[in-house]
Amino acid sequence: MGGTEEQYVKEAFDTNWIAPLGPNVNGFEQDIELFLGNGSHAAALTSGTAGLHLGLVLLGVKAGDEVICQSMTFSATANPISYVGATPVFVDSERDTWNISPVLLEEAIKAGITKGKKPKAIIPVHLYGMPAKMDEIMAVAHRYEIPVLEDAAEALGSSINGRQCGTFGDIAVLSFNGNKIITTSGGGALVSRNAKVVKDARFLSTQARDEAPHYEHSQIGYNYRMSNICAGIGRGQMEVLAKRVAQRRSIFDKYFNLLQGKKGIDFVKEPIGYFSNRWLTTILIDPAHAGFTREDMRLEFEKENIESRPLWKPMHLQPVFENCIFYGDGTSEQLFQNGLCLPSGSNLTEDDMGRIFDVINKMIN
């Protein structure tokens, strides 16, 4: 916490604004819009997953449709496709950013069109805060007139040539879950440059209640609106967002300075013009050169009560999606096999880093 969150929450209690509406909700949305710029409009929601679900609904995705989804991601990216009865088509990553490959994306689109199933939407992800190749992705999407639902859940504060992640797609989604760069304890936002889309998202997220003196509903709605309490936390968090990004990038620099040049260990680097919030610092360990595996290092950390995790297991390898179509070249599978997420919390102390470095030095020496 940054310090002012309690003030906003206390104000909500003092004024009895507890429900999923109120000054903090409005203020938090305005803070998001101001930060993102580029004509953005925002609707504060209960989660990023809720935003993805609403995004698909607003894009007209229905049962039987196909939606292209980045395979290398957390399951929350893919699950909402099933919520609307559609089928995910998974696409592999490229090696520069670890995000969806524009080349394989176009291959998947062409294959879908050939079989008479043109995809209804494309969901790229900015993995671990590293921006995807959005210029190339959007060019492909525009060529085939397919809308893009940008999953920027991990990428608040990341940018490409100064343009914030979350402003490239037709609709974008942010997450404020407890593990993100800033948090509302649980929460998210749907973002679009189209004001009507965001207005419709607010309508659907409050049970789609029509204008009437009684409760009138002409379409299915959802209970997805963020509460004034959580939004108060978010307003305080927005005040320290730049500091949190700087802290995460500083943590990355410490790991990079320790490990650069070490045999068999590599990082995902920022392409020219890219700025990553470095939400999580991740490394690849090539056992043939390092002399140990990703799992060896994870278990050494575990012995010292230090949590680390493998990278996301690709969606096309998940049992729940085993029958889905996948277009790939093995990149995400190799990333999963060799990749490790290192401790990256903004509140890591020098003592914490010392304990972490002791384990790493033991491994590499």
Side-chain angles (χ1 to χ4, degrees), residues 23-322:
N24 282 336
V25 176
N26 298 337
F28 185 41
E29 290 175 343
Q30 291 166 7
D31 291 342
I32 294 169
E33 292 166 358
L34 182 63
F35 178 81
L36 293 178
N38 205 44
S40 297
H41 302 272
L45 305 171
T46 53
S47 68
T49 309
L52 289 166
H53 184 195
L54 285 182
L56 291 170
V57 171
L58 290 164
L59 291 174
V61 179
K62 294 181 171 57
D65 290 335
E66 291 187 351
V67 174
I68 291 180
C69 181
Q70 181 168 314
S71 184
M72 190 71 180
T73 186
F74 179 52
S75 62
T77 304
N79 286 341
I81 300 172
S82 296
Y83 297 170
V84 296
T87 301
V89 173
F90 294 113
V91 173
D92 214 341
S93 298
E94 41 78 18
R95 295 182 182 276
D96 294 337
T97 70
W98 301 0
N99 294 310
I100 193 168
S101 163
V103 174
L104 293 172
L105 169 61
E106 186 160 21
E107 180 182 320
I109 293 171
K110 287 179 177 178
I113 292 173
T114 298
K115 69 178 184 179
K117 293 284 288 187
K118 179 180 175 181
K120 290 297 293 288
I122 300 165
I123 309 180
V125 185
H126 305 296
L127 201 66
Y128 302 118
M130 180 60 69
K133 293 185 174 180
M134 291 307 298
D135 290 340
E136 296 176 42
I137 292 166
M138 295 305 297
V140 172
H142 289 152
R143 189 151 56 243
Y144 295 94
E145 298 181 327
I146 302 173
V148 171
L149 178 54
E150 179 186 359
D151 185 344
E154 302 172 6
L156 184 62
S158 300
S159 60
I160 302 174
N161 295 319
R163 182 174 177 178
Q164 294 293 330
C165 290
T167 67
F168 290 90
D170 299 271
I171 299 174
V173 170
L174 306 173
S175 173
F176 308 110
N177 191 32
N179 64 350
K180 295 301 188 293
I181 197 88
I182 63 168
T183 184
T184 57
S185 77
L190 181 145
V191 178
S192 179
R193 295 182 302 283
N194 186 326
K196 185 180 183 304
V197 166
V198 173
K199 181 181 178 181
D200 290 345
R202 291 181 182 134
F203 171 71
L204 290 175
S205 68
T206 48
Q207 299 291 17
R209 181 185 175 186
D210 296 332
E211 289 288 340
H214 55 278
Y215 287 94
E216 183 82 7
H217 304 274
S218 56
Q219 56 185 303
I220 297 296
Y222 309 91
N223 185 19
Y224 282 169
R225 201 76 162 105
M226 181 181 285
S227 80
N228 202 51
I229 300 298
C230 291
I233 299 172
R235 294 185 75 181
Q237 287 278 282
M238 286 298 292
E239 294 177 5
V240 295
L241 174 56
K243 181 179 179 181
R244 294 292 175 263
V245 173
Q247 287 172 314
R248 298 290 177 120
R249 288 179 63 85
S250 175
I251 290 167
F252 171 85
D253 289 342
K254 289 175 182 177
Y255 283 123
F256 185 80
N257 291 336
L258 176 70
L259 291 170
Q260 66 173 324
K262 302 298 182 183
K263 288 183 179 179
I265 298 180
D266 198 13
F267 295 81
V268 58
K269 300 175 180 64
E270 293 168 319
I272 295 173
Y274 281 49
F275 180 88
S276 171
N277 65 12
R278 296 295 185 185
W279 172 56
L280 293 185
T281 294
T282 56
I283 57 173
L284 293 178
I285 300 174
D286 180 354
H289 295 93
F292 55 89
T293 67
R294 170 262 286 166
E295 191 63 5
D296 291 334
M297 180 171 280
R298 189 189 70 80
L299 291 173
E300 285 300 314
F301 277 130
E302 192 173 85
K303 288 178 185 177
E304 300 300 325
N305 198 29
I306 297 170
E307 184 182 36
S308 63
R309 290 184 183 176
L311 301 189
W312 301 125
K313 183 177 182 179
M315 290 299 100
H316 73 277
L317 298 181
Q318 298 287 354
V320 71
F321 294 122
E322 62 184 358

Side-chain angles (χ1 to χ4, degrees), residues 315-345:
M315 290 299 100
H316 73 277
L317 298 181
Q318 298 287 354
V320 71
F321 294 122
E322 62 184 358
N323 294 321
C324 294
I325 299 171
F326 171 65
Y327 295 87
D329 58 12
T331 296
S332 60
E333 293 176 33
Q334 186 178 38
L335 291 172
F336 172 61
Q337 182 177 354
N338 293 335
L340 187 69
C341 298
L342 299 173
S344 306

